[in-house]
Amino acid sequence: MSIITQEDSSRLKSFIDSHNAFLIIGHKEPDGDCIASCLGIAAILKHFNKPYTLLSAGPFKRHEIIRYEKLFQDSVDFLDENDRKATGLIITDCSELSRLGDIDFDFKGLDTFIIDHHKTSDLPPGAQGYINGSAPAAAYLIQLFYESLIGPLPKDLAEIIFFGICTDTGFFRFLNSSEISTDVFNASARLTSYGADPRQIYNDINNGKPWSTRKLLGQLLSRAERHLNGKLIITWETMDDTHKLGTEGRDSDALYQLLLSTKDVKAAVFLRQDTQTTCTGGFRSKDDVDVSAVAAKFGGGGHKNASGMSTEGRIETLIPSIVKEFARIM
C-alpha cells in the first residue's frame, strides 16, 4: 500500500496547476538522492507542460553526480512582483531555507511546496507539502508521486530515481523488515521493470573514485579514536588535509561502513574543519542509536541512523561535547 494517498497527489497537482513557472531546489552539497529528487520533480512538471528552473548551491563534490551539474544553476533571473506571484517553489530532500545554501535569490514569500523524508523536518509557516520521516529516500517519494499522477516512469527517469534511492539506502543495506521497506523494494522492482539496471547503477555509485580519496580514507582511519568503551568512533579531517587532497569525489559512505563494522561500535562521527571557526559533521549509527538527537544539539538533523550538522567551533573543542551527548543516549 502506497504511503502517498490520492489526497497527497491532488495537493501537489493543485499546486502545479496554480502556478505558471517553478523553481526546483534541494539542499546545498547535494547527494544522489537530492539530485534524483529534483530531476524527478522536473519530469513531473515537464509532463504537465510547466516551465521550470533547476537550482543548486552546490558544490557538486561527489563523483557520481558531477555529470548532472550542468543541468543546475546557482542564481535566478530577476522576478518582478507579478512573476513572483505566478512562480512556485518546490523544495525536495530538505525543508529549511537555511539549508539551500548560497543562491543569489530571495525565496521568502514564494508559494512553496516541500517533499522531504528527514525525521527532523517540518513544514515551515505558510508552506504546503508532504514530509514522511519513515521514507528512506526522497527519490522514493517522488517516484510514488509520479506514478500516482502520470503512471510508469520512462527508462531514463527510472534509472535516476533508482540511483537516488540506492544513494540514501546504501544500496538497500539500511532497510529492515518494516512495511515501508517492503514497499521500497516493490517500488524498486517496478523501476527495474521500467528499465533501471541495478548493476550499472551500483558501478556508477561505487567505481571511479579519485586516488586522492583513497589516501584521505587511510588518513581518516589512522586518526580515528574510540570513545564510550568502544561504542563510538570519531575521526576528523583538517583544513590541511583538504588543502592537500582536495574535495573531489568524497567517499564518506566507505568510511562509515568500515567504522561501523568494528566490533562493539554503535555510532561513528566524521568531522571536517571547513574554516578556522566552522565545522561540518556526519553522524551514522546502527540499530536504536538515534544520531539525529545528537545532531540537533549542534544545529543539525536528519534521520535516526544518518544525520549531519554545520556549526561554529573547532574540532578539538567539539569532540568532547559530541562525546558527552552520545553518552546520554548510549
Side-chain angles (χ1 to χ4, degrees):
M1 180 178 177
S2 175
I3 59 174
I4 301 292
T5 67
Q6 185 59 51
E7 181 181 354
D8 296 326
S9 297
S10 296
R11 281 203 305 271
L12 176 58
K13 183 60 165 58
S14 295
F15 185 82
I16 293 172
D17 290 339
S18 60
H19 297 86
N20 297 333
F22 294 86
L23 303 175
I24 306 170
I25 191 169
H27 57 78
K28 61 184 177 181
E29 295 194 23
D31 57 8
D33 186 36
C34 179
I35 294 301
S37 301
C38 288
L39 294 176
I41 291 170
I44 292 173
L45 295 176
K46 183 176 181 180
H47 175 84
F48 292 112
N49 297 312
K50 295 286 186 174
Y52 60 84
T53 300
L54 285 162
L55 298 170
S56 178
F60 284 65
K61 294 180 179 179
R62 302 166 184 263
H63 85 284
E64 67 268 25
I65 64 169
I66 289 175
R67 56 181 160 164
Y68 299 113
E69 184 174 9
K70 62 181 180 295
L71 302 177
F72 292 78
Q73 57 190 62
D74 60 6
S75 63
V76 183
D77 294 335
F78 173 77
L79 299 180
D80 62 26
E81 185 176 349
N82 290 330
D83 290 333
R84 289 181 68 90
K85 289 180 180 179
T87 299
L89 173 65
I90 301 181
I91 302 174
T92 187
D93 203 28
C94 177
S95 65
E96 304 92 8
L97 292 180
S98 61
R99 291 195 63 224
L100 301 182
D102 188 14
I103 298 288
D104 186 18
F105 186 75
D106 181 10
F107 294 107
K108 294 179 180 178
L110 286 181
D111 285 343
T112 302
F113 197 98
I114 292 171
I115 301 175
D116 195 15
H117 71 120
H118 292 97
K119 178 182 176 182
T120 54
S121 293
D122 198 5
L123 289 175
Q128 304 178 58
Y130 179 89
I131 294 177
N132 191 322
S134 64
Y140 160 65
L141 298 177
I142 303 302
Q143 176 188 351
L144 298 183
F145 274 116
Y146 190 101
E147 290 173 324
S148 176
L149 292 172
I150 302 169
L153 282 66
K155 181 177 183 293
D156 58 343
L157 181 60
E159 291 173 336
I160 291 169
I161 295 297
F162 194 97
F163 162 70
I165 292 173
C166 289
T167 297
D168 264 26
T169 63
F171 225 92
F172 308 108
R173 298 193 318 276
F174 307 145
L175 299 184
N176 53 29
S177 59
S178 67
E179 183 177 345
I180 197 165
S181 292
T182 299
D183 192 60
V184 173
F185 277 114
N186 288 333
S188 300
R190 293 196 301 275
L191 293 175
T192 62
S193 74
Y194 303 149
D197 183 340
R199 180 171 59 182
Q200 183 59 53
I201 291 168
Y202 179 88
N203 289 335
D204 290 342
I205 293 173
N206 292 286
N207 294 344
K209 307 287 188 181
W211 172 245
S212 60
T213 67
R214 310 299 91 184
K215 299 287 286 184
L216 178 60
L217 185 58
Q219 186 87 288
L220 297 176
L221 289 172
S222 67
R223 190 177 287 151
E225 295 178 346
R226 296 191 296 174
H227 301 268
L228 303 178
N229 297 318
K231 292 184 290 186
L232 172 67
I233 295 182
I234 299 179
T235 190
W236 62 92
E237 176 183 332
T238 67
M239 293 175 64
D240 188 53
D241 294 331
T242 306
H243 176 73
K244 290 180 178 178
L245 298 172
T247 60
E248 181 187 2
R250 294 305 180 90
D251 195 12
S252 55
D253 187 51
L255 173 66
Y256 293 128
Q257 284 187 61
L258 289 167
L259 297 180
L260 289 174
S261 65
T262 306
K263 182 181 178 181
D264 297 327
V265 170
K266 298 295 184 182
V269 175
F270 166 51
L271 300 174
R272 183 173 70 238
Q273 192 76 51
D274 293 315
T275 70
Q276 291 289 347
T277 58
T278 61
C279 285
T280 53
F283 302 77
R284 297 294 185 273
S285 66
K286 298 189 294 187
D287 305 325
D288 294 329
V289 178
D290 186 355
V291 292
S292 70
V294 177
K297 295 290 185 179
F298 299 91
H303 305 290
K304 174 182 176 182
N305 299 123
S307 292
M309 69 164 190
S310 181
T311 188
E312 297 286 331
R314 294 190 59 81
I315 289 171
E316 57 267 27
T317 55
L318 281 171
I319 288 177
S321 299
I322 290 171
V323 173
K324 181 178 179 180
E325 293 302 327
F326 270 101
R328 299 178 192 275
I329 64 171
M330 289 202 304

